[in-house]
PDB file of all heavy atoms in Angstrom:
ATOM      1  N   ILE A   1    -129.805 221.105 -86.662  1.00 92.00           N
ATOM      2  CA  ILE A   1    -130.442 220.094 -87.508  1.00 92.00           C
ATOM      3  C   ILE A   1    -131.068 219.048 -86.600  1.00 92.00           C
ATOM      4  O   ILE A   1    -130.382 218.420 -85.802  1.00 92.00           O
ATOM      5  CB  ILE A   1    -129.404 219.429 -88.435  1.00 92.00           C
ATOM      6  CG1 ILE A   1    -128.729 220.503 -89.308  1.00 92.00           C
ATOM      7  CG2 ILE A   1    -130.059 218.361 -89.307  1.00 92.00           C
ATOM      8  CD1 ILE A   1    -127.559 219.967 -90.113  1.00 92.00           C
ATOM      9  N   LYS A   2    -132.381 218.884 -86.721  1.00 95.00           N
ATOM     10  CA  LYS A   2    -133.077 217.930 -85.881  1.00 95.00           C
ATOM     11  C   LYS A   2    -133.265 216.622 -86.634  1.00 95.00           C
ATOM     12  O   LYS A   2    -133.789 216.610 -87.751  1.00 95.00           O
ATOM     13  CB  LYS A   2    -134.422 218.497 -85.430  1.00 95.00           C
ATOM     14  CG  LYS A   2    -134.280 219.710 -84.517  1.00 95.00           C
ATOM     15  CD  LYS A   2    -135.632 220.191 -84.025  1.00 95.00           C
ATOM     16  CE  LYS A   2    -135.448 221.386 -83.077  1.00 95.00           C
ATOM     17  NZ  LYS A   2    -136.735 221.886 -82.549  1.00 95.00           N
ATOM     18  N   VAL A   3    -132.806 215.538 -86.009  1.00 96.00           N
ATOM     19  CA  VAL A   3    -132.870 214.215 -86.628  1.00 96.00           C
ATOM     20  C   VAL A   3    -133.377 213.214 -85.592  1.00 96.00           C
ATOM     21  O   VAL A   3    -132.940 213.226 -84.431  1.00 96.00           O
ATOM     22  CB  VAL A   3    -131.493 213.760 -87.145  1.00 96.00           C
ATOM     23  CG1 VAL A   3    -131.620 212.435 -87.898  1.00 96.00           C
ATOM     24  CG2 VAL A   3    -130.856 214.816 -88.040  1.00 96.00           C
ATOM     25  N   LYS A   4    -134.292 212.367 -86.026  1.00 97.00           N
ATOM     26  CA  LYS A   4    -134.781 211.292 -85.149  1.00 97.00           C
ATOM     27  C   LYS A   4    -134.090 210.004 -85.578  1.00 97.00           C
ATOM     28  O   LYS A   4    -134.159 209.607 -86.755  1.00 97.00           O
ATOM     29  CB  LYS A   4    -136.300 211.157 -85.257  1.00 97.00           C
ATOM     30  CG  LYS A   4    -136.901 210.229 -84.200  1.00 97.00           C
ATOM     31  CD  LYS A   4    -138.425 210.154 -84.351  1.00 97.00           C
ATOM     32  CE  LYS A   4    -139.059 209.402 -83.203  1.00 97.00           C
ATOM     33  NZ  LYS A   4    -139.036 210.164 -81.951  1.00 97.00           N
ATOM     34  N   TYR A   5    -133.421 209.352 -84.638  1.00 98.00           N
ATOM     35  CA  TYR A   5    -132.677 208.137 -84.928  1.00 98.00           C
ATOM     36  C   TYR A   5    -133.345 206.913 -84.293  1.00 98.00           C
ATOM     37  O   TYR A   5    -133.911 207.003 -83.196  1.00 98.00           O
ATOM     38  CB  TYR A   5    -131.238 208.233 -84.395  1.00 98.00           C
ATOM     39  CG  TYR A   5    -130.349 209.192 -85.153  1.00 98.00           C
ATOM     40  CD1 TYR A   5    -130.108 210.473 -84.674  1.00 98.00           C
ATOM     41  CD2 TYR A   5    -129.753 208.798 -86.346  1.00 98.00           C
ATOM     42  CE1 TYR A   5    -129.291 211.349 -85.361  1.00 98.00           C
ATOM     43  CE2 TYR A   5    -128.917 209.668 -87.044  1.00 98.00           C
ATOM     44  CZ  TYR A   5    -128.699 210.944 -86.544  1.00 98.00           C
ATOM     45  OH  TYR A   5    -127.883 211.809 -87.240  1.00 98.00           O
ATOM     46  N   ARG A   6    -133.225 205.821 -84.988  1.00 98.00           N
ATOM     47  CA  ARG A   6    -133.523 204.521 -84.370  1.00 98.00           C
ATOM     48  C   ARG A   6    -132.247 204.076 -83.677  1.00 98.00           C
ATOM     49  O   ARG A   6    -131.133 204.228 -84.194  1.00 98.00           O
ATOM     50  CB  ARG A   6    -133.938 203.511 -85.442  1.00 98.00           C
ATOM     51  CG  ARG A   6    -134.012 202.093 -84.910  1.00 98.00           C
ATOM     52  CD  ARG A   6    -134.542 201.137 -85.945  1.00 98.00           C
ATOM     53  NE  ARG A   6    -134.290 199.756 -85.546  1.00 98.00           N
ATOM     54  CZ  ARG A   6    -135.054 198.730 -85.890  1.00 98.00           C
ATOM     55  NH1 ARG A   6    -136.122 198.923 -86.638  1.00 98.00           N
ATOM     56  NH2 ARG A   6    -134.747 197.503 -85.497  1.00 98.00           N
ATOM     57  N   VAL A   7    -132.408 203.524 -82.483  1.00 98.00           N
ATOM     58  CA  VAL A   7    -131.255 203.102 -81.674  1.00 98.00           C
ATOM     59  C   VAL A   7    -131.298 201.595 -81.486  1.00 98.00           C
ATOM     60  O   VAL A   7    -132.272 201.046 -80.938  1.00 98.00           O
ATOM     61  CB  VAL A   7    -131.254 203.802 -80.295  1.00 98.00           C
ATOM     62  CG1 VAL A   7    -130.041 203.374 -79.477  1.00 98.00           C
ATOM     63  CG2 VAL A   7    -131.276 205.324 -80.462  1.00 98.00           C
ATOM     64  N   ASP A   8    -130.255 200.929 -81.931  1.00 98.00           N
ATOM     65  CA  ASP A   8    -130.086 199.492 -81.729  1.00 98.00           C
ATOM     66  C   ASP A   8    -128.719 199.260 -81.122  1.00 98.00           C
ATOM     67  O   ASP A   8    -127.748 199.953 -81.464  1.00 98.00           O
ATOM     68  CB  ASP A   8    -130.189 198.736 -83.048  1.00 98.00           C
ATOM     69  CG  ASP A   8    -131.547 198.895 -83.721  1.00 98.00           C
ATOM     70  OD1 ASP A   8    -132.494 198.191 -83.328  1.00 98.00           O
ATOM     71  OD2 ASP A   8    -131.655 199.733 -84.649  1.00 98.00           O
ATOM     72  N   GLY A   9    -128.647 198.281 -80.221  1.00 98.00           N
ATOM     73  CA  GLY A   9    -127.346 198.026 -79.614  1.00 98.00           C
ATOM     74  C   GLY A   9    -127.325 196.756 -78.803  1.00 98.00           C
ATOM     75  O   GLY A   9    -128.298 196.011 -78.710  1.00 98.00           O
ATOM     76  N   VAL A  10    -126.169 196.543 -78.226  1.00 98.00           N
ATOM     77  CA  VAL A  10    -125.979 195.396 -77.350  1.00 98.00           C
ATOM     78  C   VAL A  10    -124.929 195.762 -76.304  1.00 98.00           C
ATOM     79  O   VAL A  10    -123.963 196.477 -76.599  1.00 98.00           O
ATOM     80  CB  VAL A  10    -125.543 194.151 -78.157  1.00 98.00           C
ATOM     81  CG1 VAL A  10    -124.210 194.388 -78.875  1.00 98.00           C
ATOM     82  CG2 VAL A  10    -125.465 192.914 -77.270  1.00 98.00           C
ATOM     83  N   THR A  11    -125.153 195.326 -75.084  1.00 97.00           N
ATOM     84  CA  THR A  11    -124.163 195.516 -74.028  1.00 97.00           C
ATOM     85  C   THR A  11    -123.807 194.157 -73.449  1.00 97.00           C
ATOM     86  O   THR A  11    -124.671 193.283 -73.282  1.00 97.00           O
ATOM     87  CB  THR A  11    -124.682 196.474 -72.930  1.00 97.00           C
ATOM     88  OG1 THR A  11    -123.657 196.627 -71.938  1.00 97.00           O
ATOM     89  CG2 THR A  11    -125.935 195.958 -72.260  1.00 97.00           C
ATOM     90  N   ARG A  12    -122.536 193.981 -73.194  1.00 97.00           N
ATOM     91  CA  ARG A  12    -122.061 192.718 -72.634  1.00 97.00           C
ATOM     92  C   ARG A  12    -121.683 192.916 -71.186  1.00 97.00           C
ATOM     93  O   ARG A  12    -120.828 193.750 -70.846  1.00 97.00           O
ATOM     94  CB  ARG A  12    -120.864 192.187 -73.428  1.00 97.00           C
ATOM     95  CG  ARG A  12    -120.383 190.818 -72.938  1.00 97.00           C
ATOM     96  CD  ARG A  12    -119.343 190.229 -73.888  1.00 97.00           C
ATOM     97  NE  ARG A  12    -118.898 188.907 -73.431  1.00 97.00           N
ATOM     98  CZ  ARG A  12    -119.557 187.785 -73.632  1.00 97.00           C
ATOM     99  NH1 ARG A  12    -120.719 187.796 -74.278  1.00 97.00           N
ATOM    100  NH2 ARG A  12    -119.071 186.630 -73.211  1.00 97.00           N
ATOM    101  N   ILE A  13    -122.380 192.172 -70.302  1.00 96.00           N
ATOM    102  CA  ILE A  13    -122.136 192.274 -68.857  1.00 96.00           C
ATOM    103  C   ILE A  13    -120.959 191.366 -68.508  1.00 96.00           C
ATOM    104  O   ILE A  13    -121.027 190.146 -68.652  1.00 96.00           O
ATOM    105  CB  ILE A  13    -123.391 191.859 -68.055  1.00 96.00           C
ATOM    106  CG1 ILE A  13    -124.633 192.578 -68.596  1.00 96.00           C
ATOM    107  CG2 ILE A  13    -123.181 192.163 -66.578  1.00 96.00           C
ATOM    108  CD1 ILE A  13    -124.545 194.068 -68.597  1.00 96.00           C
ATOM    109  N   PHE A  14    -119.892 191.984 -68.042  1.00 96.00           N
ATOM    110  CA  PHE A  14    -118.638 191.250 -67.848  1.00 96.00           C
ATOM    111  C   PHE A  14    -118.787 190.124 -66.829  1.00 96.00           C
ATOM    112  O   PHE A  14    -118.352 188.989 -67.071  1.00 96.00           O
ATOM    113  CB  PHE A  14    -117.543 192.225 -67.404  1.00 96.00           C
ATOM    114  CG  PHE A  14    -116.231 191.563 -67.124  1.00 96.00           C
ATOM    115  CD1 PHE A  14    -115.422 191.126 -68.153  1.00 96.00           C
ATOM    116  CD2 PHE A  14    -115.795 191.378 -65.820  1.00 96.00           C
ATOM    117  CE1 PHE A  14    -114.211 190.501 -67.899  1.00 96.00           C
ATOM    118  CE2 PHE A  14    -114.588 190.755 -65.561  1.00 96.00           C
ATOM    119  CZ  PHE A  14    -113.794 190.320 -66.612  1.00 96.00           C
ATOM    120  N   LYS A  15    -119.381 190.398 -65.698  1.00 94.00           N
ATOM    121  CA  LYS A  15    -119.451 189.384 -64.648  1.00 94.00           C
ATOM    122  C   LYS A  15    -120.308 188.197 -65.053  1.00 94.00           C
ATOM    123  O   LYS A  15    -120.012 187.049 -64.689  1.00 94.00           O
ATOM    124  CB  LYS A  15    -120.011 189.998 -63.350  1.00 94.00           C
ATOM    125  CG  LYS A  15    -118.957 190.684 -62.497  1.00 94.00           C
ATOM    126  CD  LYS A  15    -119.557 191.043 -61.144  1.00 94.00           C
ATOM    127  CE  LYS A  15    -118.505 191.611 -60.205  1.00 94.00           C
ATOM    128  NZ  LYS A  15    -119.091 191.945 -58.875  1.00 94.00           N
ATOM    129  N   LEU A  16    -121.357 188.459 -65.811  1.00 92.00           N
ATOM    130  CA  LEU A  16    -122.273 187.384 -66.211  1.00 92.00           C
ATOM    131  C   LEU A  16    -121.834 186.716 -67.498  1.00 92.00           C
ATOM    132  O   LEU A  16    -122.382 185.659 -67.865  1.00 92.00           O
ATOM    133  CB  LEU A  16    -123.696 187.932 -66.394  1.00 92.00           C
ATOM    134  CG  LEU A  16    -124.357 188.506 -65.136  1.00 92.00           C
ATOM    135  CD1 LEU A  16    -125.687 189.144 -65.499  1.00 92.00           C
ATOM    136  CD2 LEU A  16    -124.542 187.407 -64.083  1.00 92.00           C
ATOM    137  N   GLN A  17    -120.870 187.340 -68.194  1.00 91.00           N
ATOM    138  CA  GLN A  17    -120.465 186.849 -69.515  1.00 91.00           C
ATOM    139  C   GLN A  17    -121.696 186.616 -70.390  1.00 91.00           C
ATOM    140  O   GLN A  17    -121.841 185.583 -71.057  1.00 91.00           O
ATOM    141  CB  GLN A  17    -119.652 185.561 -69.376  1.00 91.00           C
ATOM    142  CG  GLN A  17    -118.281 185.767 -68.737  1.00 91.00           C
ATOM    143  CD  GLN A  17    -117.385 186.671 -69.564  1.00 91.00           C
ATOM    144  OE1 GLN A  17    -117.031 186.352 -70.703  1.00 91.00           O
ATOM    145  NE2 GLN A  17    -117.027 187.823 -69.009  1.00 91.00           N
ATOM    146  N   SER A  18    -122.559 187.611 -70.367  1.00 93.00           N
ATOM    147  CA  SER A  18    -123.841 187.521 -71.076  1.00 93.00           C
ATOM    148  C   SER A  18    -124.139 188.855 -71.752  1.00 93.00           C
ATOM    149  O   SER A  18    -123.738 189.915 -71.258  1.00 93.00           O
ATOM    150  CB  SER A  18    -124.958 187.162 -70.097  1.00 93.00           C
ATOM    151  OG  SER A  18    -126.200 187.126 -70.762  1.00 93.00           O
ATOM    152  N   GLU A  19    -124.848 188.775 -72.879  1.00 95.00           N
ATOM    153  CA  GLU A  19    -125.189 189.973 -73.617  1.00 95.00           C
ATOM    154  C   GLU A  19    -126.644 190.355 -73.414  1.00 95.00           C
ATOM    155  O   GLU A  19    -127.510 189.484 -73.260  1.00 95.00           O
ATOM    156  CB  GLU A  19    -124.903 189.790 -75.116  1.00 95.00           C
ATOM    157  CG  GLU A  19    -123.416 189.659 -75.431  1.00 95.00           C
ATOM    158  CD  GLU A  19    -123.157 189.548 -76.919  1.00 95.00           C
ATOM    159  OE1 GLU A  19    -124.125 189.255 -77.666  1.00 95.00           O
ATOM    160  OE2 GLU A  19    -122.000 189.746 -77.334  1.00 95.00           O
ATOM    161  N   LEU A  20    -126.878 191.657 -73.421  1.00 96.00           N
ATOM    162  CA  LEU A  20    -128.220 192.197 -73.276  1.00 96.00           C
ATOM    163  C   LEU A  20    -128.511 193.061 -74.499  1.00 96.00           C
ATOM    164  O   LEU A  20    -127.802 194.028 -74.764  1.00 96.00           O
ATOM    165  CB  LEU A  20    -128.310 193.032 -71.990  1.00 96.00           C
ATOM    166  CG  LEU A  20    -129.694 193.507 -71.544  1.00 96.00           C
ATOM    167  CD1 LEU A  20    -130.570 192.323 -71.157  1.00 96.00           C
ATOM    168  CD2 LEU A  20    -129.566 194.487 -70.388  1.00 96.00           C
ATOM    169  N   VAL A  21    -129.521 192.661 -75.256  1.00 97.00           N
ATOM    170  CA  VAL A  21    -129.880 193.410 -76.462  1.00 97.00           C
ATOM    171  C   VAL A  21    -130.612 194.698 -76.071  1.00 97.00           C
ATOM    172  O   VAL A  21    -131.525 194.668 -75.242  1.00 97.00           O
ATOM    173  CB  VAL A  21    -130.753 192.541 -77.394  1.00 97.00           C
ATOM    174  CG1 VAL A  21    -131.200 193.365 -78.612  1.00 97.00           C
ATOM    175  CG2 VAL A  21    -129.980 191.309 -77.843  1.00 97.00           C
ATOM    176  N   LEU A  22    -130.226 195.783 -76.705  1.00 97.00           N
ATOM    177  CA  LEU A  22    -130.837 197.094 -76.433  1.00 97.00           C
ATOM    178  C   LEU A  22    -131.620 197.578 -77.649  1.00 97.00           C
ATOM    179  O   LEU A  22    -131.132 197.522 -78.785  1.00 97.00           O
ATOM    180  CB  LEU A  22    -129.739 198.120 -76.098  1.00 97.00           C
ATOM    181  CG  LEU A  22    -128.792 197.763 -74.961  1.00 97.00           C
ATOM    182  CD1 LEU A  22    -127.699 198.826 -74.837  1.00 97.00           C
ATOM    183  CD2 LEU A  22    -129.539 197.592 -73.652  1.00 97.00           C
ATOM    184  N   GLY A  23    -132.831 198.053 -77.409  1.00 96.00           N
ATOM    185  CA  GLY A  23    -133.624 198.622 -78.496  1.00 96.00           C
ATOM    186  C   GLY A  23    -134.550 197.605 -79.158  1.00 96.00           C
ATOM    187  O   GLY A  23    -134.694 196.479 -78.684  1.00 96.00           O
ATOM    188  N   PRO A  24    -135.146 198.038 -80.280  1.00 98.00           N
ATOM    189  CA  PRO A  24    -134.929 199.348 -80.891  1.00 98.00           C
ATOM    190  C   PRO A  24    -135.561 200.495 -80.098  1.00 98.00           C
ATOM    191  O   PRO A  24    -136.732 200.419 -79.732  1.00 98.00           O
ATOM    192  CB  PRO A  24    -135.586 199.222 -82.268  1.00 98.00           C
ATOM    193  CG  PRO A  24    -136.619 198.141 -82.083  1.00 98.00           C
ATOM    194  CD  PRO A  24    -136.063 197.207 -81.065  1.00 98.00           C
ATOM    195  N   GLY A  25    -134.746 201.521 -79.847  1.00 98.00           N
ATOM    196  CA  GLY A  25    -135.214 202.707 -79.166  1.00 98.00           C
ATOM    197  C   GLY A  25    -135.139 203.904 -80.100  1.00 98.00           C
ATOM    198  O   GLY A  25    -135.004 203.742 -81.317  1.00 98.00           O
ATOM    199  N   THR A  26    -135.198 205.096 -79.524  1.00 98.00           N
ATOM    200  CA  THR A  26    -135.123 206.312 -80.339  1.00 98.00           C
ATOM    201  C   THR A  26    -134.225 207.345 -79.675  1.00 98.00           C
ATOM    202  O   THR A  26    -134.073 207.377 -78.448  1.00 98.00           O
ATOM    203  CB  THR A  26    -136.526 206.933 -80.558  1.00 98.00           C
ATOM    204  OG1 THR A  26    -137.117 207.208 -79.284  1.00 98.00           O
ATOM    205  CG2 THR A  26    -137.415 206.007 -81.359  1.00 98.00           C
ATOM    206  N   LEU A  27    -133.654 208.180 -80.515  1.00 98.00           N
ATOM    207  CA  LEU A  27    -132.891 209.331 -80.055  1.00 98.00           C
ATOM    208  C   LEU A  27    -133.373 210.548 -80.858  1.00 98.00           C
ATOM    209  O   LEU A  27    -133.201 210.599 -82.070  1.00 98.00           O
ATOM    210  CB  LEU A  27    -131.388 209.145 -80.275  1.00 98.00           C
ATOM    211  CG  LEU A  27    -130.516 210.355 -79.958  1.00 98.00           C
ATOM    212  CD1 LEU A  27    -130.570 210.696 -78.475  1.00 98.00           C
ATOM    213  CD2 LEU A  27    -129.073 210.132 -80.418  1.00 98.00           C
ATOM    214  N   ASP A  28    -133.993 211.495 -80.179  1.00 98.00           N
ATOM    215  CA  ASP A  28    -134.396 212.759 -80.801  1.00 98.00           C
ATOM    216  C   ASP A  28    -133.238 213.727 -80.643  1.00 98.00           C
ATOM    217  O   ASP A  28    -133.061 214.337 -79.583  1.00 98.00           O
ATOM    218  CB  ASP A  28    -135.667 213.312 -80.155  1.00 98.00           C
ATOM    219  CG  ASP A  28    -136.880 212.461 -80.453  1.00 98.00           C
ATOM    220  OD1 ASP A  28    -137.148 212.199 -81.638  1.00 98.00           O
ATOM    221  OD2 ASP A  28    -137.561 212.018 -79.503  1.00 98.00           O
ATOM    222  N   ALA A  29    -132.458 213.843 -81.709  1.00 97.00           N
ATOM    223  CA  ALA A  29    -131.194 214.590 -81.622  1.00 97.00           C
ATOM    224  C   ALA A  29    -131.286 215.946 -82.302  1.00 97.00           C
ATOM    225  O   ALA A  29    -132.062 216.140 -83.250  1.00 97.00           O
ATOM    226  CB  ALA A  29    -130.071 213.776 -82.274  1.00 97.00           C
ATOM    227  N   GLU A  30    -130.487 216.872 -81.797  1.00 97.00           N
ATOM    228  CA  GLU A  30    -130.299 218.164 -82.441  1.00 97.00           C
ATOM    229  C   GLU A  30    -128.806 218.368 -82.635  1.00 97.00           C
ATOM    230  O   GLU A  30    -128.039 218.346 -81.674  1.00 97.00           O
ATOM    231  CB  GLU A  30    -130.897 219.299 -81.625  1.00 97.00           C
ATOM    232  CG  GLU A  30    -130.773 220.649 -82.314  1.00 97.00           C
ATOM    233  CD  GLU A  30    -131.604 221.744 -81.660  1.00 97.00           C
ATOM    234  OE1 GLU A  30    -132.423 221.413 -80.784  1.00 97.00           O
ATOM    235  OE2 GLU A  30    -131.437 222.907 -82.050  1.00 97.00           O
ATOM    236  N   ILE A  31    -128.422 218.523 -83.896  1.00 96.00           N
ATOM    237  CA  ILE A  31    -127.008 218.630 -84.267  1.00 96.00           C
ATOM    238  C   ILE A  31    -126.715 220.069 -84.664  1.00 96.00           C
ATOM    239  O   ILE A  31    -127.392 220.634 -85.519  1.00 96.00           O
ATOM    240  CB  ILE A  31    -126.673 217.671 -85.412  1.00 96.00           C
ATOM    241  CG1 ILE A  31    -126.944 216.210 -84.984  1.00 96.00           C
ATOM    242  CG2 ILE A  31    -125.209 217.820 -85.838  1.00 96.00           C
ATOM    243  CD1 ILE A  31    -126.868 215.213 -86.097  1.00 96.00           C
ATOM    244  N   ASP A  32    -125.705 220.652 -84.027  1.00 95.00           N
ATOM    245  CA  ASP A  32    -125.282 222.007 -84.346  1.00 95.00           C
ATOM    246  C   ASP A  32    -123.996 221.924 -85.163  1.00 95.00           C
ATOM    247  O   ASP A  32    -122.912 221.692 -84.620  1.00 95.00           O
ATOM    248  CB  ASP A  32    -125.037 222.798 -83.051  1.00 95.00           C
ATOM    249  CG  ASP A  32    -124.685 224.256 -83.320  1.00 95.00           C
ATOM    250  OD1 ASP A  32    -124.301 224.568 -84.455  1.00 95.00           O
ATOM    251  OD2 ASP A  32    -124.815 225.077 -82.395  1.00 95.00           O
ATOM    252  N   PRO A  33    -124.084 222.076 -86.502  1.00 90.00           N
ATOM    253  CA  PRO A  33    -122.883 221.918 -87.332  1.00 90.00           C
ATOM    254  C   PRO A  33    -121.893 223.054 -87.174  1.00 90.00           C
ATOM    255  O   PRO A  33    -120.721 222.897 -87.506  1.00 90.00           O
ATOM    256  CB  PRO A  33    -123.466 221.882 -88.766  1.00 90.00           C
ATOM    257  CG  PRO A  33    -124.735 222.630 -88.679  1.00 90.00           C
ATOM    258  CD  PRO A  33    -125.289 222.385 -87.296  1.00 90.00           C
ATOM    259  N   ILE A  34    -122.346 224.219 -86.684  1.00 92.00           N
ATOM    260  CA  ILE A  34    -121.454 225.353 -86.514  1.00 92.00           C
ATOM    261  C   ILE A  34    -120.541 225.151 -85.302  1.00 92.00           C
ATOM    262  O   ILE A  34    -119.319 225.295 -85.385  1.00 92.00           O
ATOM    263  CB  ILE A  34    -122.242 226.653 -86.362  1.00 92.00           C
ATOM    264  CG1 ILE A  34    -123.174 226.856 -87.577  1.00 92.00           C
ATOM    265  CG2 ILE A  34    -121.293 227.844 -86.192  1.00 92.00           C
ATOM    266  CD1 ILE A  34    -122.447 226.957 -88.888  1.00 92.00           C
ATOM    267  N   ASN A  35    -121.147 224.796 -84.182  1.00 94.00           N
ATOM    268  CA  ASN A  35    -120.367 224.610 -82.946  1.00 94.00           C
ATOM    269  C   ASN A  35    -119.883 223.173 -82.762  1.00 94.00           C
ATOM    270  O   ASN A  35    -119.132 222.895 -81.835  1.00 94.00           O
ATOM    271  CB  ASN A  35    -121.207 225.033 -81.740  1.00 94.00           C
ATOM    272  CG  ASN A  35    -121.556 226.508 -81.767  1.00 94.00           C
ATOM    273  OD1 ASN A  35    -120.690 227.342 -82.001  1.00 94.00           O
ATOM    274  ND2 ASN A  35    -122.815 226.835 -81.543  1.00 94.00           N
ATOM    275  N   GLY A  36    -120.350 222.266 -83.623  1.00 96.00           N
ATOM    276  CA  GLY A  36    -119.898 220.880 -83.530  1.00 96.00           C
ATOM    277  C   GLY A  36    -120.397 220.171 -82.281  1.00 96.00           C
ATOM    278  O   GLY A  36    -119.622 219.527 -81.573  1.00 96.00           O
ATOM    279  N   THR A  37    -121.702 220.295 -82.003  1.00 97.00           N
ATOM    280  CA  THR A  37    -122.261 219.631 -80.817  1.00 97.00           C
ATOM    281  C   THR A  37    -123.501 218.828 -81.206  1.00 97.00           C
ATOM    282  O   THR A  37    -124.132 219.071 -82.228  1.00 97.00           O
ATOM    283  CB  THR A  37    -122.670 220.655 -79.747  1.00 97.00           C
ATOM    284  OG1 THR A  37    -123.654 221.559 -80.296  1.00 97.00           O
ATOM    285  CG2 THR A  37    -121.446 221.456 -79.286  1.00 97.00           C
ATOM    286  N   ILE A  38    -123.823 217.878 -80.357  1.00 97.00           N
ATOM    287  CA  ILE A  38    -125.047 217.088 -80.512  1.00 97.00           C
ATOM    288  C   ILE A  38    -125.666 216.902 -79.143  1.00 97.00           C
ATOM    289  O   ILE A  38    -124.964 216.624 -78.150  1.00 97.00           O
ATOM    290  CB  ILE A  38    -124.769 215.728 -81.187  1.00 97.00           C
ATOM    291  CG1 ILE A  38    -126.091 214.922 -81.333  1.00 97.00           C
ATOM    292  CG2 ILE A  38    -123.704 214.939 -80.449  1.00 97.00           C
ATOM    293  CD1 ILE A  38    -125.932 213.663 -82.159  1.00 97.00           C
TER     294      ILE A  38
END
């Protein structure tokens, strides 16, 4: 199953005690429901 996802996120840099906003990006995914993989 091919699905295109919008990707949004945030990562927090421990040493800087600061957050970095990620995205919006994309993930072109292929999901195999039989074998349970992505």
Side-chain angles (χ1 to χ4, degrees):
I1 302 172
K2 294 184 179 181
V3 185
K4 190 179 188 72
Y5 289 99
R6 170 175 166 151
V7 181
D8 298 279
V10 61
T11 181
R12 183 170 181 81
I13 311 303
F14 178 75
K15 275 190 175 181
L16 297 174
Q17 291 298 297
S18 177
E19 292 183 344
L20 189 66
V21 176
L22 305 175
T26 58
L27 174 65
D28 292 306
E30 183 168 350
I31 300 170
D32 184 341
I34 303 300
N35 296 313
T37 60
I38 180 172

